[in-house]
Amino acid sequence: MRRLLTLLWLLLCTPALAADLAADVRARLVDAPVLRGSFEQQKTVAGFKKPLVSRGDFLVVRDQGVLWNTRSPFASSLTVTRKSLRAEQEGGAAYQLESTREPALTAVNELLLALVSGDLSVLATRFRLEGELVAKGGWKLTLIPTDASVSRLFRRVRLEGDTFVRQVELEEVRGDSTRILFDQLAQTPPPGPAELERLGK
């Protein structure tokens, strides 16, 4: 009987604990309207021993989108806004998807923006949050999909950070995984004319 009551108490308290954890992590994150930095992306494909590694830099502008510029091994760029996704390769083809033609794109772009910027209010609508606070202002979160469209793609997502998101790890349903490490994070300089033009397309 005592064990049953303990289990019931834990079940009743779980949502509150998750809300407390999200609030504690949110309190540690810097509220950054603009965020710049560099990244290293390690893509591990099921059946291959070595990950595919790419590096570059990025810019996040709140309410406008993300510019993701890969510098190596090949130059390419990705522009993500709430309404579109545009990819370009140096000297190569470009493609653009519009949310007016691809309704699911809005949700995908919203998720990408939330992961890079650590927007827990958006992530909590599609994931169950688990994790812990760690020493020196750090935190770790594991996101378990609760949204059917997301659970078809990902088993879980792991985030680690302090005042910024420092690492994102995406574990896909089909066995592949992607680990992104962020570095040299800064809130300045503000976006330049060329960057704003890309975000405005």
Side-chain angles (χ1 to χ4, degrees):
M1 185 65 177
R2 185 175 178 180
R3 293 177 62 184
L4 181 62
L5 290 173
T6 300
L7 178 60
L8 180 61
W9 183 85
L10 288 173
L11 289 173
L12 290 173
C13 288
T14 296
L17 293 174
D20 290 345
L21 175 64
D24 289 341
V25 171
R26 195 177 293 117
R28 293 190 172 194
L29 285 165
V30 167
D31 184 20
V34 173
L35 182 63
R36 294 179 179 275
S38 61
F39 70 84
E40 177 179 290
Q41 181 172 309
Q42 303 166 0
K43 173 79 174 182
T44 301
V45 179
F48 290 84
K49 291 183 178 178
K50 292 186 176 180
L52 304 169
V53 179
S54 59
R55 296 180 178 87
D57 55 77
F58 71 95
L59 166 67
V60 181
V61 182
R62 183 191 295 161
D63 298 328
Q64 293 193 54
V66 177
L67 303 182
W68 192 263
N69 303 309
T70 300
R71 307 297 183 186
S72 69
F74 306 105
S76 65
S77 65
L78 184 69
T79 303
V80 180
T81 70
R82 297 195 185 281
K83 295 181 179 179
S84 68
L85 183 152
R86 179 177 175 82
E88 297 178 86
Q89 288 189 325
E90 193 174 63
Y95 69 87
Q96 182 161 339
L97 301 176
E98 300 287 346
S99 60
T100 52
R101 295 185 176 182
E102 304 282 348
L105 187 62
T106 300
V108 171
N109 288 2
E110 184 181 76
L111 178 59
L112 288 173
L113 291 168
L115 286 172
V116 176
S117 62
D119 190 338
L120 298 182
S121 60
V122 171
L123 295 174
T125 64
R126 300 182 185 279
F127 296 91
R128 185 178 79 245
L129 307 182
E130 299 175 354
E132 61 180 341
L133 301 179
V134 297
K136 298 181 180 178
W139 48 268
K140 296 180 179 180
L141 289 178
T142 299
L143 313 181
I144 309 297
T146 55
D147 182 301
S149 62
V150 177
S151 64
R152 283 196 290 270
L153 298 174
F154 302 109
R155 285 199 181 94
R156 62 181 60 84
V157 177
R158 293 188 178 90
L159 300 178
E160 289 186 30
D162 41 44
T163 53
F164 300 108
V165 176
R166 298 284 179 178
Q167 178 175 312
V168 176
E169 189 171 346
L170 305 164
E171 189 177 317
E172 298 176 35
V173 171
R174 62 184 180 182
D176 299 347
S177 64
T178 301
R179 184 178 182 217
I180 306 171
L181 304 171
F182 298 112
D183 195 14
Q184 299 177 316
L185 300 172
Q187 299 181 68
T188 56
E195 293 170 323
L196 290 173
E197 183 181 357
R198 278 177 63 187
L199 290 169
K201 286 184 178 178

